[in-house]
Amino acid sequence: MLKAFVALASALVVATPGAVTAQSSGAAVPERPLIIAHRGASGERPEHTLAAYERAIDQGADYIEPDLVVTKDLQLVARHENELSGTTDVASREEFEDRRRTKNVEGRQVAGWFSEDFTLAELRTLRARERVGNIRPASASFDELYQVPTFGEIVDLVRAKEAETGRTIGLYPELKHPTLMLEQEGIDMVDLMVRELRAYDLDDADDRVFVQIFEVGPLQRLDARVETPLVMLISSEGGPYDEPDMRWSQMLTPTGLAEIAAYADGIGPWLGHALDPATMEPTALVADAHAAGLQVHPWTLRKENGFLPSPLQNGGGPGEDGQYERLWRAAIATGADGFFVDNVKEFVALIDGEPGE
């Protein structure tokens, strides 16, 4: 995924700073796009921790995004993936060594420790770690301070922050691998998501919630059971796991977007679908999606050299800030309704600044 992003943003070397603006693109740019804190303030605290979510809220995020995996005793918890060794200290815990196994995850053989093999009580004994500590050493300095939170605890945090700030704060959960969980473990994550949405009174059309999935069938099932807004995630290449004959490229045509609009309220595409890699100008996607009645929330805006192509990197190592503002301005000029952002504070500063700053 990072390689595809680098290929996209490398085209910036042919553009002059600030060349892509709302005026030059002709796109209808929202006055203020939604700020979706990607896994929380994941540039500053270990992602998918209550500390990361709270920091993102304090910095001005409109929504926080928890990726949800499932436990053995059917609890939804926040982790980037169901394999836990990249984001927790499980690999160093001798008492869980016998849980290590190799599993087929949507066509890939993955070795490690999986959330669905642990009860919630067992997961509570683990501590979160920064996933990309080489790029984000400041975030890694908070390793092993925080537990793995449940979806319910994230809802409670949001409601407490709403009461504290007087702001309305949205939730943007993603179900990870729901079809795989049903096939391999017999666990219905759609049913669990419906349970949680109803329990917290988040199942109405006007609730400040988006549920997102990279799969068609689970979204269609959710659409039949709740009124909560839904988002079809779109990756850079390939197609949805549960529909092997479908391609993302086909789904992003006007006809494909109209079909998505029958069961979803928006799309969450890889940024390269909305921004032409050759010219760094908006593609037709945002306009086509809007014509189909869909919101558009591309992913993911990041600031560090390690996530940027060489033309946009400054001196120093992978954790130093690159020339991220050039890419971010080009993204905003697509007219998308919101963006998944790792660096909330910097994005708020960019969109609240004077034009051209």
Side-chain angles (χ1 to χ4, degrees):
M1 203 68 68
L2 179 56
K3 290 181 179 179
F5 175 78
V6 166
L8 159 72
S10 292
L12 279 174
V13 71
V14 302
T16 57
V20 180
T21 65
Q23 289 74 27
S24 66
S25 71
V29 179
E31 183 177 342
R32 182 185 175 92
L34 291 177
I35 304 167
I36 305 158
H38 187 237
R39 309 170 192 166
S42 51
E44 300 184 30
R45 296 291 185 274
E47 62 191 33
H48 294 311
T49 59
L50 293 180
Y53 299 134
E54 182 170 20
R55 190 163 183 83
I57 292 168
D58 290 343
Q59 291 176 342
D62 299 305
Y63 285 77
I64 58 170
E65 186 229 13
D67 294 340
L68 299 179
V69 300
V70 67
T71 67
K72 186 176 183 179
D73 50 350
L74 308 183
Q75 300 300 309
L76 294 177
V77 298
R79 287 292 85 194
H80 172 54
E81 280 290 343
N82 57 323
E83 200 291 300
L84 300 169
S85 65
T87 60
T88 75
D89 63 350
V90 67
S92 66
R93 305 290 291 274
E94 293 183 2
E95 67 269 34
F96 295 129
E97 178 59 32
D98 63 346
R99 306 290 176 90
R100 191 176 191 274
R101 63 167 167 151
T102 299
K103 183 174 181 177
N104 186 304
V105 179
E106 297 183 0
R108 297 178 299 111
Q109 293 297 113
V110 178
W113 291 259
F114 297 88
S115 65
E116 58 269 24
D117 294 331
F118 290 76
T119 65
L120 178 60
E122 290 170 332
L123 279 183
R124 288 297 205 192
T125 69
L126 304 180
R127 292 297 180 269
R129 287 182 173 177
E130 170 55 46
R131 190 174 52 86
V132 285
N134 62 319
I135 295 179
R136 293 170 172 166
S139 178
S141 69
F142 293 89
D143 279 358
E144 301 184 25
L145 293 180
Y146 310 115
Q147 289 180 307
V148 175
T150 65
F151 179 69
E153 288 173 333
I154 298 167
V155 175
D156 290 343
L157 170 68
V158 165
R159 290 180 172 172
K161 296 300 290 186
E162 287 180 328
E164 173 190 324
T165 64
R167 294 166 49 207
T168 300
I169 301 156
L171 285 157
Y172 211 125
E174 177 189 348
L175 289 186
K176 305 292 287 194
H177 312 299
T179 298
L180 187 76
M181 287 298 103
L182 191 58
E183 291 174 344
Q184 293 187 349
E185 308 295 334
I187 296 174
D188 189 343
M189 294 184 72
V190 170
D191 193 53
L192 298 179
M193 186 80 263
V194 170
R195 177 193 72 186
E196 297 293 282
L197 292 171
R198 290 177 176 168
Y200 290 98
D201 193 22
L202 296 172
D203 57 339
D204 296 320
D206 59 352
D207 285 318
R208 199 170 171 85
V209 179
F210 290 100
V211 179
Q212 54 175 337
I213 313 177
F214 278 102
E215 299 173 11
V216 175
L219 274 179
Q220 292 174 330
R221 291 179 57 215
L222 279 172
D223 182 52
R225 298 182 64 186
V226 296
E227 298 297 324
T228 310
L230 306 176
V231 170
M232 182 77 232
L233 291 172
I234 308 288
S235 196
S236 56
E237 56 188 17
Y241 170 72
D242 68 319
E243 294 286 352
D245 294 331
M246 286 188 180
R247 300 291 87 188
W248 301 125
S249 57
Q250 298 168 332
M251 297 173 71
L252 293 174
T253 64
T255 299
L257 292 168
E259 292 174 354
I260 292 173
Y263 57 86
D265 302 274
I267 57 171
W270 171 64
L271 180 60
H273 293 309
L275 199 62
D276 189 322
T279 65
M280 294 306 294
E281 291 283 347
T283 69
L285 176 60
V286 173
D288 288 346
H290 285 170
L294 295 167
Q295 294 192 48
V296 185
H297 303 152
W299 47 270
T300 304
L301 302 184
R302 297 176 166 119
K303 69 171 186 171
E304 297 92 349
N305 282 334
F307 293 113
L308 296 170
S310 55
L312 292 183
Q313 292 178 10
N314 290 325
E320 298 297 319
D321 288 358
Q323 300 170 49
Y324 60 90
E325 291 167 322
R326 292 172 61 188
L327 180 63
W328 291 12
R329 291 186 185 282
I332 291 169
T334 65
D337 303 280
F339 294 93
F340 290 88
V341 181
D342 277 12
N343 312 102
V344 174
K345 178 176 64 177
E346 290 80 0
F347 192 70
V348 169
L350 182 74
I351 64 176
D352 283 352
E354 294 299 320
E357 281 190 352

